[in-house]
Amino acid sequence: MTRAAALLTLLNQAPETNRRRLLQAAGAGMLGVSLPKVLEAVDNNFDDAPSPSAKNVIFMHLFGGPSQLETFDMKPDAPSDIRGPFKPIPCSTDGLLVCEHLPNIAQITDKITVVKTMTHDFNDHSGAGHYVQTGHRWHVPIGGGFNVTPQDWPAIGSVAKYFDQRRGLINEAPTYAVLPNALGSLQQKGDIARPGETAGWLGGAYAPVVTGVNKNSENDNPFWRTCTDEELQFSIKGLSPQAGMTIGRFNSRAQLLNRINEHQQTLRELDRTRVFDKYRARALELVLSDKAREAFDVTKEDPKTRDTYGRHLYGQSALVARRLIEAGTRFVTVQYDCVDGYSWDSHRNSDDVKKHLLPTFDQAFAALVNDLDDRGMLDDTLIVVMGEMGRTPKANSSWGRNHWSTLFPAVLAGGGIKRGFIYGETDKHAAYATAHPVSPEDMAATIFMALGINPSWQIQDAIGRPHQLTSGKPVLDLFI
């Protein structure tokens, strides 16, 4: 065992007690090993990495909370005020009842897994959205706020980016991207910034590349209509590449800077180097290769493929997600935002659920699964679909339902996940899990494991304190 590894073992055994003494000793050159070597050992100890089942993840977030009773956990024998206005249709998975307004998905259930039993107790949109995208409860209490804070936990995509950088991986495409907009930016007047998709306290170097697609007016909803090519720019915030500046040229400069930084020994110099490295990594990512830049240009896609996904904003966003994965992106979040303030948050009625929400989701998701499968990419790409909560079993007279984080479904496909599989059991009213509940922590651990990231690994905050990725356990039964 090397001295750096021995020091790492000591640190892991008692991180809070030994960290300061260890860093002081190493920083002074004692124990025969320098501080940078200790931190290198901390950051790059990947011996216990799980074998990855996926190279990439597409996380499709249906913000607002789709009803389990109107999607994948229908209860046609429940009382009339619970079972809902829609009927199930046949599908290719025994025991799975799929809503009649998801006909395309019903035809591909032999390619997907449905988890019926997602559950948590943070019955609030912003906090629950943070929860499912990070695997950690939001630090803001229910009703205490709506917007992003610097104390938010980093998104799963940001954590994936963190470990890619620790492994020395520099992609020609952004490691982590959010489409088509930052969550909340299309809601009402666009003055909301919902938490969950950001890098949080991990820092700006691990933030996603976020695109922007504008709406025509405050009351416009581009998720529910055909969008023109002029609208579908997917412009990248902060991207302004210079002619002739390629990833290769920037990498050579990065190597020179790395050599200089190796000679900086003191804590203060190291801190400055770390801050600089973060901004440098962010700048490198924004100087995209031609292939990556073209991935955002959905107009270059075959028109028939575009039609299959749907010319609405959600369908075209799912298509750009596939294009980014092809270009080398590791994690893409596709946000289905509640532009009108309700949408999936169907308190009032189920009219929009029937006319707009289910059809656009059905078209885009089924097209994505089939497209990836046809291209031989589904085995390497994990697709995860979920809202942040479900809906109450008992509905109002117009079939509107209220918040119900106690039970909601998730759908997974590809990336080593079983096909034609149902996980978990629920009661007769789709109110509670009766077998195999899955928490957001567990789902985050499952995604991490699929990417070859050990959920027990730690990441450091801005002042060097270690934090375990998640307390959840991977749901091993989901994998082939």
Side-chain angles (χ1 to χ4, degrees):
M1 180 182 292
T2 66
R3 290 178 178 178
L7 291 175
L8 175 61
T9 300
L10 176 64
L11 176 62
N12 287 338
Q13 288 173 347
E16 297 302 326
T17 303
N18 292 331
R19 184 176 183 82
R20 180 173 297 178
R21 284 189 299 165
L22 180 62
L23 294 183
Q24 287 174 345
M30 300 166 63
L31 307 177
V33 62
S34 67
L35 177 57
K37 291 296 183 183
V38 173
L39 292 176
E40 182 181 0
V42 171
D43 285 342
N44 301 320
N45 184 35
F46 302 126
D47 292 342
D48 57 348
S51 178
S53 63
K55 294 179 181 178
N56 323 290
V57 172
I58 298 176
F59 188 95
M60 306 181 80
H61 185 206
L62 308 179
F63 184 74
S67 169
Q68 65 277 23
L69 287 149
E70 274 78 60
T71 53
F72 299 102
D73 196 12
M74 305 192 77
K75 303 292 184 181
D77 297 327
S80 59
D81 59 346
I82 290 177
R83 62 176 176 255
F86 309 144
K87 297 178 181 179
I89 55 174
C91 70
S92 54
T93 301
D94 290 340
L96 181 63
L97 299 181
V98 177
C99 177
E100 62 183 317
H101 299 297
L102 298 173
N104 293 300
I105 295 176
Q107 295 179 22
I108 63 160
T109 60
D110 58 333
K111 299 181 181 183
I112 68 176
T113 278
V114 174
V115 177
K116 288 186 174 183
T117 50
M118 292 298 303
T119 182
H120 63 79
D121 63 359
F122 206 110
N123 206 34
D124 169 83
H125 290 297
S126 283
H130 178 279
Y131 207 170
V132 299
Q133 293 181 90
T134 66
H136 287 263
R137 291 180 67 87
W138 202 27
H139 66 95
V140 178
I142 293 176
F146 299 98
N147 293 313
V148 167
T149 79
Q151 293 77 39
D152 295 347
W153 192 273
I156 298 172
S158 291
V159 174
K161 186 174 180 179
Y162 176 94
F163 283 107
D164 269 10
Q165 290 190 14
R166 290 299 178 272
R167 289 165 165 153
L169 301 177
I170 298 179
N171 299 321
E172 288 191 343
T175 304
Y176 171 35
V178 172
L179 308 171
N181 293 80
L183 186 61
S185 63
L186 288 184
Q187 293 176 23
Q188 300 171 345
K189 295 182 179 180
D191 54 356
I192 299 175
R194 301 279 188 179
E197 66 188 21
T198 73
W201 50 257
L202 194 55
Y206 308 104
V209 167
V210 182
T211 63
V213 175
N214 296 324
K215 55 184 182 179
N216 292 332
S217 66
E218 184 176 336
N219 295 323
D220 179 40
N221 191 336
F223 288 102
W224 295 356
R225 62 168 174 80
T226 297
C227 296
T228 66
D229 287 351
E230 289 72 23
E231 292 178 283
L232 297 169
Q233 295 297 311
F234 291 96
S235 57
I236 305 169
K237 298 178 180 179
L239 177 59
S240 182
Q242 298 178 9
M245 285 298 182
T246 65
I247 285 288
R249 290 186 63 185
F250 270 81
N251 282 348
S252 63
R253 297 184 183 185
Q255 292 169 0
L256 175 61
L257 289 170
N258 284 338
R259 291 185 180 181
I260 295 172
N261 290 341
E262 285 175 358
H263 297 285
Q264 295 179 319
Q265 296 290 325
T266 66
L267 284 170
R268 180 175 298 176
E269 287 171 332
L270 181 62
D271 287 341
R272 289 175 178 171
T273 301
R274 280 186 155 188
V275 170
F276 181 72
D277 280 347
K278 291 178 180 180
Y279 284 103
R280 179 188 58 187
R282 179 68 169 160
L284 283 169
E285 188 175 53
L286 291 177
V287 183
L288 303 180
S289 67
D290 290 340
K291 181 179 179 181
R293 191 180 301 109
E294 287 189 1
F296 289 99
D297 187 355
V298 74
T299 66
K300 294 185 179 297
E301 188 65 46
D302 181 84
K304 292 182 179 179
T305 302
R306 295 185 66 189
D307 291 341
T308 301
Y309 276 81
R311 295 284 183 148
H312 42 80
L313 182 56
Y314 196 66
Q316 297 299 285
S317 298
L319 179 52
V320 172
R322 190 224 77 202
R323 292 172 61 84
L324 283 171
I325 292 299
E326 282 184 309
T329 296
R330 287 266 281 161
F331 200 106
V332 183
T333 294
V334 183
Q335 301 283 11
Y336 198 134
D337 210 344
C338 54
V339 179
D340 64 345
Y342 287 96
S343 294
W344 292 113
D345 190 23
S346 54
H347 289 282
R348 299 175 298 180
N349 55 60
S350 63
D351 293 349
D352 290 335
V353 175
K354 175 182 177 180
K355 295 177 182 178
H356 301 296
L357 294 156
L358 292 177
T360 51
F361 164 61
D362 176 62
Q363 184 177 22
F365 175 66
L368 178 63
V369 171
N370 285 329
D371 196 9
L372 289 172
D373 203 20
D374 291 344
R375 292 169 181 268
M377 297 170 60
L378 187 59
D379 288 344
D380 290 333
T381 304
L382 172 62
I383 308 174
V384 181
V385 183
M386 71 173 84
E388 76 279 17
M389 61 177 66
R391 314 305 299 180
T392 51
K394 191 169 184 178
N396 64 29
S397 59
S398 299
W399 291 113
R401 302 181 191 269
N402 295 322
H403 300 175
W404 191 257
S405 63
T406 308
L407 187 74
F408 58 103
V411 180
L412 289 77
I417 295 296
K418 292 177 180 176
R419 295 183 174 216
F421 185 59
I422 304 170
Y423 186 80
E425 299 175 10
T426 62
D427 66 7
K428 62 183 181 180
H429 293 163
Y432 301 97
T434 57
H436 307 304
V438 178
S439 68
E441 290 91 341
D442 296 333
M443 184 57 70
T446 302
I447 297 171
F448 283 136
M449 192 181 80
L451 286 172
I453 298 172
N454 191 323
S456 67
W457 284 351
Q458 296 179 342
I459 51 178
Q460 297 178 15
D461 61 22
I463 61 175
R465 293 176 300 185
H467 301 269
Q468 184 172 324
L469 296 187
T470 177
S471 60
K473 303 298 182 184
V475 185
L476 300 179
D477 288 343
L478 300 181
F479 292 92
I480 298 171

